[in-house]
């Protein structure tokens, strides 16, 4: 019953799509005002749950509308409330890490992602999808800090688990592989030599989109590979680019993969 009633705050009943931007923000405020009077107690019933859900919805709505400072205030207040009543904080910490990232507070974001990963790992083990998602987010935060060695070490440990637990072609597996690839080509100290007959360690097929920064367009014909001992190779519309480093990639007009 709660799920059906709750969907009206974040999903259009006509088209079934999630609301976006300022609409999400406005509905977040409306939801929070609706449930503001509910008590702060340990989450044991729907009555207790909705106040926390409303605060989460408000924080996410503010973040979606790019009101990052306001989102930060709401999420920090929610985290404090959950700690006070003894409830789980992992989801709120993950949301807070995203806000830190948007504000350029990359060290804070990485520390928070580390805590989230450690928390899910302790609660549900290394093969749980929440643990694996948190591992990828933590690795991405390390990559953003240019701590490539740490990012690659974590991904080398978790990619085989993800492939075994979720499958080769699951989105989570492909995202983790792509994160590894970006960490590899972002590291200027990575080994550059490779041969054309080297076995691909990771491949991302044409379902991924390559963004052409110069033309501001997207190509769905791209293929991204990297080798155990070598660089990224990006093939797009019949042209082959060898992106030895992230700087070289940008010089070819390849800014990032879109997903």
């Amino acid at each position: 019953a709660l799920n059906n009633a709750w969907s009206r705050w974040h999903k259009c009943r006509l088209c079934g799509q999630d609301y976006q931007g300022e609409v999400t923000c406005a509905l977040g405020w409306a939801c929070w005002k609706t449930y503001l009077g509910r008590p702060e107690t340990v989450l044991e019933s729907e009555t207790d749950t909705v106040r926390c859900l409303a605060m989460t919805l408000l924080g996410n709505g503010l973040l979606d509308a790019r009101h990052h400072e306001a989102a930060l205030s709401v999420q920090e207040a929610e985290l404090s409330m959950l700690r006070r009543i003894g409830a789980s904080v992992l989801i709120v910490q993950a949301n807070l890490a995203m806000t830190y990232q948007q504000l350029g507070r990359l060290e804070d974001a990485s520390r928070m992602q580390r805590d989230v990963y450690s928390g899910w790992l302790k609660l549900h083990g290394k093969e749980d999808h929440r643990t694996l998602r948190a591992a990828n987010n933590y690795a991405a935060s390390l990559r953003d800090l240019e701590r490539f060695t740490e990012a690659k070490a974590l991904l080398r440990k978790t990619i085989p688990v993800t492939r075994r637990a979720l499958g080769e072609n699951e989105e989570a597996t492909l995202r983790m592989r792509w994160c590894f690839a970006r960490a590899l080509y972002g590291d200027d100290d990575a080994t550059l030599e490779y041969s054309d007959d080297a076995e691909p360690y990771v491949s991302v097929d044409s379902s991924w989109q390559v963004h052409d920064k110069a033309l501001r367009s997207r190509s769905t014909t791209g293929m991204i590979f990297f080798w155990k001992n070598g660089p990224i190779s990006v093939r797009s519309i019949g042209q082959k680019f060898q992106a030895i480093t992230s700087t070289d990639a940008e010089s070819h007009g390849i800014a990032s993969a879109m997903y």
Side-chain angles (χ1 to χ4, degrees):
L2 177 61
N3 290 337
N4 291 334
W6 195 256
S7 65
R8 67 190 176 107
W9 295 111
H10 62 85
K11 183 174 294 186
C12 176
R13 291 185 177 181
L14 295 177
C15 68
Q17 299 296 310
D18 287 339
Y19 294 119
Q20 304 290 330
E22 294 293 346
V23 176
T24 304
C25 183
L27 287 170
W29 277 116
C31 180
W32 172 242
K33 290 177 181 178
T34 300
Y35 299 110
L36 176 60
R38 297 297 178 91
E40 286 186 12
T41 54
V42 178
L43 307 182
E44 295 177 348
S45 69
E46 288 189 1
T47 301
D48 302 324
T49 301
V50 291
R51 178 185 172 93
C52 295
L53 289 176
M55 189 173 279
T56 299
L57 193 71
L58 174 58
N60 290 345
L62 289 165
L63 184 62
D64 197 50
R66 300 183 184 278
H67 303 309
H68 299 137
E69 292 288 353
L72 179 63
S73 296
V74 171
Q75 290 166 343
E76 287 181 334
E78 183 181 7
L79 181 61
S80 177
M81 180 186 70
L82 292 176
R83 283 173 171 164
R84 185 167 58 249
I85 65 177
S88 174
V89 298
L90 295 176
I91 293 175
V92 177
Q93 285 181 311
N95 292 337
L96 189 55
M98 290 190 293
T99 304
Y100 283 145
Q101 183 183 34
Q102 292 297 322
L103 289 169
R105 294 171 56 175
L106 300 184
E107 289 284 356
D108 290 330
S110 186
R111 281 193 292 269
M112 193 67 72
Q113 296 288 15
R114 179 198 60 201
D115 291 345
V116 173
Y117 170 54
S118 176
W120 287 124
L121 183 62
K122 290 177 182 177
L123 282 174
H124 299 290
K126 63 181 181 180
E127 294 190 354
D128 185 82
H129 67 95
R130 289 161 292 192
T131 303
L132 296 171
R133 181 174 61 241
N136 190 54
N137 290 339
Y138 179 37
S141 73
L142 292 170
R143 183 201 66 217
D144 290 341
L145 289 168
E146 298 187 358
R147 290 160 58 179
F148 300 117
T149 300
E150 294 174 67
K152 289 185 289 184
L154 175 59
L155 290 167
R156 284 192 181 101
K157 181 174 65 175
T158 53
I159 285 176
V161 179
T162 307
R163 294 169 66 187
R164 181 175 65 252
L166 303 181
E168 292 282 350
N169 297 316
E170 286 297 312
E171 181 180 349
T173 307
L174 295 176
R175 283 181 180 274
M176 194 170 286
R177 287 174 162 185
W178 175 243
C179 185
F180 193 108
R182 291 189 65 187
L184 182 66
Y185 79 66
D187 187 358
D188 291 339
D189 294 328
T191 304
L192 302 182
E193 295 78 14
Y194 78 105
S195 60
D196 287 334
D197 60 354
E199 179 186 0
Y201 182 67
V202 168
S203 64
V204 184
D205 65 22
S206 58
S207 63
W208 290 72
Q209 298 177 325
V210 177
H211 176 58
D212 188 320
K213 186 171 65 173
L215 300 177
R216 297 181 179 274
S217 63
R218 298 178 183 179
S219 166
T220 57
T221 60
M223 297 186 72
I224 301 102
F225 301 94
F226 76 86
W227 282 259
K228 293 178 181 177
N229 60 339
I232 309 301
S233 172
V234 179
R235 188 184 304 277
S236 179
I237 318 178
Q239 293 179 301
K240 184 176 182 180
F241 304 111
Q242 293 176 355
I244 305 302
T245 67
S246 56
T247 302
D248 291 336
E250 289 192 0
S251 71
H252 289 303
I254 302 166
S256 62
M258 311 296 292
Y259 41 80

